[in-house]
Amino acid sequence: MSERKDKKKVIGEPMTDEQIKVFLDNDPEAGVDADFHSLMRAYRSLREEDFERFLGFFTAAGRRVDARDPAGHTLADLIADHVRGADYLDSLRRHGG
């Protein structure tokens, strides 16, 4: 499959606020806290600087950074040992997680 010259793939371009806010709205699986689901989805999908911005929108909307998964873990608990999770963990802590 060849890439169209007028549709070059852009990697690393800053996301708009609207693109980041998409991660606030989602439908979690039954039994999963909506705040936890949004946090995990954003963590898995966003670069650290975009995740930081997401957390600003998230907390401004009154959402809980310390939300827990069905097993009782926060996102901070789950990513504490991730090799590339340190910056994300710092962001969570700055926002009360």
Side-chain angles (χ1 to χ4, degrees), residues 33-36 39 58-59 61-68 95:
D33 182 281
D35 288 349
F36 179 83
L39 288 166
F58 187 81
T59 56
R63 310 276 296 268
R64 297 171 296 113
V65 176
D66 61 349
R68 296 180 180 273
H95 290 274

Side-chain angles (χ1 to χ4, degrees), residues 7 16 33 47 49 58 60 64 70:
K7 295 289 184 183
T16 66
D33 182 281
R47 298 175 304 172
E49 59 270 17
F58 187 81
R64 297 171 296 113

Side-chain angles (χ1 to χ4, degrees), residues 71-84:
H73 303 104
T74 65
L75 181 61
D77 295 336
L78 296 175
I79 69 171
D81 295 328
H82 289 187
V83 173
R84 296 189 176 137

Side-chain angles (χ1 to χ4, degrees), residues 13-80:
E13 187 171 298
M15 294 180 75
T16 66
D17 289 350
E18 291 73 28
Q19 289 172 315
I20 292 173
K21 287 179 182 178
V22 166
F23 290 89
L24 294 172
D25 300 320
N26 57 74
D27 293 321
E29 295 177 23
V32 177
D33 182 281
D35 288 349
F36 179 83
H37 180 73
S38 290
L39 288 166
M40 180 59 83
R41 189 169 163 247
Y43 168 69
R44 289 180 174 164
S45 302
L46 298 174
R47 298 175 304 172
E48 190 279 324
E49 59 270 17
D50 295 325
F51 184 72
E52 176 80 30
R53 290 174 49 212
F54 163 80
L55 288 174
F57 300 131
F58 187 81
T59 56
R63 310 276 296 268
R64 297 171 296 113
V65 176
D66 61 349
R68 296 180 180 273
D69 70 4
H73 303 104
T74 65
L75 181 61
D77 295 336
L78 296 175
I79 69 171

